[in-house]
Amino acid sequence: MPHRNRQVIRLFLASPSDVPGERTATEQVIAQINQTLGPALGFVIEVVRWENVTPSMGRPEQIILDQSEIDDCDLFVGILWNRFGTPTGHAKSGTEEEFQIAYESWKQHKRPHIMFYFCQQSANLQTEEELNQKLRVVQFRKSLFNRGLFAEYTTPDNFEMLLRQHVTSHL
């Protein structure tokens, strides 16, 4: 439970459904940081995920965006492997729309700090839809080349190690 005088650092986690191990690893890394560094340095990191959104009527991604307030987050962690996600009506996927909001906020306010990760583990893609999803990931990754650096990893354990290192050094 956050202590009254601790700074709350908000981390938005953006990813489609094919990286559940990495999503779990993110929660574990943040819980460890909150237990170890947080009390000593006077902060607590709150992970903001679409799963924490209160159900409501309207465009699903807009409900997530309204409740998550990505432009008010301190950190943005994006994770992609083979799935890009479902079009939202405003972007090719929820992850892309969330990134666009974070990136526009970063350009204006230098916040949130954006960390994007791409899994390089082999996959057995067998359908046209799976290939199309992977193509969209590749195209998105290419679009990031001119915007900044991103990290690559091969396993959820490798991701966990990188995320712990990156979040800790950012703090």
Side-chain angles (χ1 to χ4, degrees):
M1 182 147 253
H3 191 271
R4 272 185 286 197
N5 59 1
R6 287 191 192 171
Q7 174 189 5
V8 175
I9 297 170
R10 298 180 74 235
L11 180 152
F12 186 84
L13 179 58
S15 69
S17 61
D18 66 337
V19 288
E22 290 85 335
R23 293 174 67 75
T24 299
T26 300
E27 293 281 356
Q28 292 170 342
V29 164
I30 298 308
Q32 281 182 333
I33 291 172
N34 281 339
Q35 291 173 355
T36 56
L37 293 176
L41 299 178
F43 69 80
V44 64
I45 301 173
E46 171 188 297
V47 178
V48 180
R49 304 167 45 144
W50 72 265
E51 293 93 339
N52 305 118
V53 168
T54 303
S56 186
M57 294 296 106
R59 185 174 75 88
E61 186 63 24
Q62 191 62 55
I63 295 166
I64 293 167
L65 297 173
D66 288 346
Q67 292 183 35
S68 300
E69 300 176 330
I70 294 170
D71 53 350
D72 193 39
C73 286
D74 303 288
L75 299 167
F76 178 97
V77 173
I79 310 166
L80 289 172
W81 181 25
N82 293 314
R83 272 194 60 70
F84 194 62
T86 306
T88 65
H90 292 269
K92 294 176 186 170
S93 75
T95 301
E96 181 181 47
E97 187 169 349
E98 293 155 359
F99 169 77
Q100 288 171 347
I101 290 168
Y103 186 66
E104 288 304 315
S105 178
W106 176 83
K107 286 193 319 189
Q108 291 179 17
H109 310 289
K110 297 300 180 213
R111 181 172 179 264
H113 180 80
I114 299 171
M115 296 182 280
F116 225 101
Y117 299 85
F118 290 90
C119 181
Q120 298 302 305
Q121 185 174 345
S122 297
N124 185 15
L125 306 176
Q126 297 187 9
T127 68
E128 191 174 327
E129 175 57 22
E130 289 172 336
L131 292 171
N132 285 334
Q133 285 285 322
K134 184 63 174 187
L135 176 61
R136 289 167 49 203
V137 170
V138 169
Q139 291 168 336
F140 178 76
R141 184 174 175 267
K142 184 178 177 185
S143 78
L144 293 185
F145 276 115
N146 295 330
R147 298 181 188 182
L149 295 175
F150 51 82
E152 296 177 340
Y153 67 95
T154 53
T155 66
D157 288 343
N158 180 226
F159 167 79
E160 182 176 342
M161 180 199 69
L162 285 172
L163 183 68
R164 181 178 288 106
Q165 178 186 1
H166 296 158
V167 170
T168 303
S169 76
H170 176 71
L171 295 171

